[in-house]
């Protein structure tokens, strides 16, 4: 399935830690191991993934890095 919105608990960046579609598990390597940003719809956070049929994916949450602003005096 393409463009599957998977609900996640908070706004963060998510990376694929384990995917049963990886070649080492006998899969076809169709799921990209990359950083997925969250999207928000009606107050709920989601990541958008491509999920082949009968595939399990484990995501790791990483807080979004905040940039510091410095003010000139």
């Amino acid at each position: 399935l393409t463009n599957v919105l998977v609900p996640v608990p908070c706004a963060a960046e998510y990376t694929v830690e384990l995917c049963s579609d990886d070649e080492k598990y006998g899969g076809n390597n169709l799921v990209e191991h990359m950083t997925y940003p969250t999207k928000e719809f009606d107050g709920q956070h989601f990541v958008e993934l491509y999920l082949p049929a009968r595939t399990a994916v484990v995501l790791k949450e990483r807080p979004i890095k905040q940039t510091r602003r410095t003010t000139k005096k």
Side-chain angles (χ1 to χ4, degrees):
L1 297 173
T2 59
N3 303 79
V4 175
L5 293 175
V6 178
V8 292
C10 63
E13 295 178 328
Y14 292 84
T15 55
V16 174
E17 286 294 302
L18 182 141
C19 179
S20 63
D21 188 55
D22 289 350
E23 191 173 355
K24 65 183 173 183
Y25 301 118
N28 296 311
N29 271 347
L30 299 175
V31 177
E32 289 189 55
H33 285 257
M34 58 177 260
T35 301
Y36 292 90
T38 54
K39 298 180 178 195
E40 186 176 346
F41 300 103
D42 295 327
Q44 173 66 51
H45 300 285
F46 299 88
V47 290
E48 187 174 352
L49 300 171
Y50 169 69
L51 293 177
R54 299 179 300 278
T55 300
V57 175
V58 176
L59 299 172
K60 181 177 181 180
E61 179 184 311
R62 184 176 67 187
I64 298 172
K65 294 180 182 178
Q66 299 292 326
T67 57
R68 285 189 173 180
R69 288 187 176 183
T70 56
T71 57
K72 294 182 180 180
K73 292 184 181 181

